[in-house]
Amino acid sequence: VQLVESGGGSVQSGGSLRLSCAASGYTDSSYYVGWGWFRQAPGKEREGVATIDSDGSTGYADSVKGRFTISQDNAKNTVYLQMNSLKPEDTAMYYCAAGEYNEDDVREPFEIFEYNYWGQGTQVTVSS
């Protein structure tokens, strides 16, 4: 399974970016798949930003609520992260992740251990 992120770049504070995560090579349909966007700034731990489950349920970190929107296009096997009103503190490497789960699993979608597959990351830099 390969996850490839794109859409990162440099913007000024208040600007917008749309990240994409294209998945390929996934053939096991016996599990549900949850998706997450994580980010890691220099010297900081990787943190969950937004998640979306196979039923479309979404979750957001408090720091991005109202500004970021996660969505998925199942036909294209692609997950998006629309980022508006960007702030300098949003500067980080952004990673896409996918994790398999069963219907009865109790998940913690903002935890790194929930995800089997990771992309290589795309850099987002917000200047003031």
Side-chain angles (χ1 to χ4, degrees), residues 29-41:
S29 61
S30 59
Y31 295 99
Y32 293 98
V33 178
W35 298 86
W37 283 99
F38 289 74
R39 66 186 181 187
Q40 188 167 18

Side-chain angles (χ1 to χ4, degrees), residues 88-99:
E89 51 263 46
D90 294 319
T91 295
M93 185 72 77
Y94 282 71
Y95 298 90
C96 172

Side-chain angles (χ1 to χ4, degrees), residues 33-128:
V33 178
W35 298 86
W37 283 99
F38 289 74
R39 66 186 181 187
Q40 188 167 18
K44 294 188 176 181
E45 293 185 352
R46 191 170 298 191
E47 62 175 356
V49 174
T51 67
I52 186 166
D53 285 348
S54 61
D55 64 358
S57 300
T58 58
Y60 297 94
D62 287 342
S63 58
V64 307
K65 278 181 182 176
R67 300 189 298 123
F68 290 11
T69 303
I70 188 171
S71 61
Q72 60 185 3
D73 184 333
N74 292 325
K76 295 182 178 180
N77 291 326
T78 301
V79 176
Y80 303 97
L81 184 68
Q82 178 67 44
M83 305 186 295
N84 298 327
S85 302
L86 283 162
K87 304 175 181 180
E89 51 263 46
D90 294 319
T91 295
M93 185 72 77
Y94 282 71
Y95 298 90
C96 172
E100 300 162 324
Y101 64 97
N102 295 305
E103 184 176 13
D104 296 331
D105 286 348
V106 176
R107 299 180 69 240
E108 296 183 54
F110 283 90
E111 295 296 332
I112 291 173
F113 65 77
E114 291 284 359
Y115 298 90
N116 313 84
Y117 309 105
W118 292 83
Q120 81 290 349
T122 185
Q123 179 67 37
V124 172
T125 303
V126 185
S127 58
S128 57

